[in-house]
Amino acid sequence: MQARLFGPGLPAAGQACEWQTDSGRIQWAGGETRLPSTGGALRSAGFDLAGLELSWADDAGRWALQVLAAADATTLRATPPAGWEEAFAQLAGTTRRHRKGRALGWSALALFLAAPLLLLAGFFAFSDGIAGWIAQRVPQAQEEALGEASFRAMQASLKLRDEGEAARAVREIGSRLTQGSAYRYRFHVVEDKAINAFAMPGGIVVVHSGLINATRTPEELAGVLAHEVQHIELRHSLKGLIKQAGLSAVWALATGDVGGALAGEAAQRMMSLSFSRDAEREADNAGFEALLRAGIDPAGMPAFFDTLAKQAGSAPELLSTHPASEARRDALAGRLSSVTNRRFEPLPYRPWPPAP
Ligand SMILES: [Zn+2]
């Protein structure tokens, strides 16, 4: 049956492959492997979890095989591959408990998909609520594949500056802020004077050199990173993309084909994706907590708003995509006044900002 394989040496968005379920052989143009008969992990996958993902590890690394066509998934559930019987039985146990909710989910989905089609104007933008509902149901592997594919699509137009002190500081601070996350984060620095940073679904954070140069302390940079990371953790970036791309996003995520048109669209929109006031407040609050957990002085978070206010000229890009700066600064300053009893080790990067 048709499947999509993720693993060492394969494209981040996965590799289309043919899986012979009886022999376990998995073949694609340029390679083949085998489903281990010793079993592995199994979970529901794909849009509304109608598909299946089988994953295992070997000497080469971690592999995941996705079967997203509902009919194929049903066939597999009826006749699990050799050695995977127990995993399927376990999943069936958890699925049965959720079946009622699932059925409701599908009828709601049918309604959501049908409603915009009725609009003859072809206006497919989703409301916040619908986009959020969908975003919460996208499997993490799909989300990561989408982020990776859209980063690749935009990479040619980015001047990556991943060497040097600034990039090292971004990576180190970023890794402290994302300890224990389910996502595997990557932090990139891009040479660009515009004061901006953005977060892509699945764990990619991009920071402009202009933003780093505008910060007065590494703690201010940490504040921005903490905020951006939460847009990923809380799936705001994914939700924003679904909201803007509408049905084409749902279609791509449902079929697993995130490497194509959707990635291209994401690449174009990602830098200018703007968030709601609620999303901003959530990202500030969760980011503030992340700074505390990482032992980084959260004073840099409200302080950076003052730094931005002193910037000459028009408002930086960062404030147009992450709005409501005054209310946010005041709320953060309020939170800060409740942690006056804590002492924080200053971040070690001096002088700041680092030389390019
Ligand atoms: Zn934001």
Side-chain angles (χ1 to χ4, degrees):
M1 65 179 57
Q2 294 293 317
R4 188 163 281 272
L5 184 67
F6 299 81
L10 296 177
Q15 168 73 50
C17 62
E18 177 68 32
W19 172 29
Q20 289 167 7
T21 49
D22 45 352
S23 69
R25 202 161 165 204
I26 303 165
Q27 289 171 294
W28 63 94
E32 71 166 83
T33 186
R34 194 170 282 276
L35 187 81
S37 57
T38 46
L42 179 71
R43 61 177 192 146
S44 300
F47 186 68
D48 214 41
L49 307 179
L52 290 167
E53 183 185 283
L54 298 83
S55 58
W56 66 95
D58 63 16
D59 294 341
R62 288 181 50 80
W63 300 85
L65 185 69
Q66 285 187 347
V67 174
L68 297 180
D72 287 341
T74 305
T75 307
L76 282 175
R77 286 192 180 95
T79 327
W84 291 71
E85 294 84 357
E86 206 183 309
F88 273 80
Q90 252 177 28
L91 186 70
T94 51
T95 308
R96 208 162 294 127
R97 266 179 268 131
H98 291 140
R99 187 156 295 161
K100 200 169 173 205
R102 178 85 46 80
L104 277 175
W106 271 115
S107 51
L109 170 66
L111 192 70
F112 288 147
L113 291 181
L117 287 171
L118 296 174
L119 297 177
L120 293 173
F123 176 69
F124 290 143
F126 287 146
S127 79
D128 234 42
I130 296 171
W133 185 89
I134 295 169
Q136 291 309 322
R137 280 159 180 78
V138 175
Q140 190 178 328
Q142 296 282 83
E143 198 187 353
E144 285 168 352
L146 171 62
E148 183 64 40
S150 45
F151 181 71
R152 280 193 192 178
M154 72 200 301
Q155 206 167 345
S157 62
L158 298 176
K159 278 194 216 159
L160 287 182
R161 287 288 174 270
D162 286 331
E163 310 292 321
E165 277 299 287
R168 185 172 70 92
V170 166
R171 276 196 305 271
E172 288 177 2
I173 296 169
S175 127
R176 280 175 69 171
L177 289 168
T178 53
Q179 287 296 312
S181 168
Y183 295 101
R184 289 180 302 256
Y185 276 89
R186 265 168 48 198
F187 295 87
H188 292 288
V189 174
V190 161
E191 192 175 306
D192 192 321
K193 282 200 177 75
I195 300 176
N196 205 3
F198 54 97
M200 310 181 66
I204 301 176
V205 177
V206 178
V207 187
H208 284 187
S209 56
L211 184 140
I212 299 170
N213 291 331
T215 56
R216 290 173 303 177
T217 61
E219 280 76 9
E220 288 189 1
L221 172 67
V224 176
L225 291 176
H227 175 96
E228 292 297 331
V229 159
Q230 297 310 318
H231 281 317
I232 294 172
E233 292 288 320
L234 299 164
R235 297 199 166 189
H236 292 155
S237 302
L238 181 65
K239 177 177 153 184
L241 192 64
I242 291 171
K243 197 178 160 190
Q244 287 200 8
L247 278 184
S248 61
V250 175
W251 178 250
L253 291 163
T255 56
D257 179 27
V258 295
L262 182 60
E265 182 141 2
Q268 284 181 7
R269 294 175 191 262
M270 204 54 73
M271 288 166 102
S272 57
L273 203 63
S274 67
F275 298 101
S276 70
R277 280 153 194 269
D278 283 348
E280 287 306 288
R281 200 179 50 238
E282 277 176 33
D284 281 344
N285 288 342
F288 193 95
E289 294 302 323
L291 288 165
L292 290 180
R293 277 198 305 277
I296 299 172
D297 191 347
M301 223 174 179
F304 187 56
F305 286 100
D306 298 330
T307 301
L308 285 180
K310 288 187 193 123
Q311 288 292 318
S314 59
E317 280 77 355
L318 191 73
L319 291 183
S320 65
T321 51
H322 304 255
S325 60
E326 228 166 282
R328 289 174 55 200
R329 195 206 77 92
D330 293 348
L332 285 166
R335 283 189 83 114
L336 190 63
S337 61
S338 65
V339 291
T340 43
N341 55 340
R342 264 191 75 173
R343 296 213 153 272
F344 298 93
E345 187 83 17
L347 288 168
Y349 314 102
R350 310 283 173 202
W352 192 265

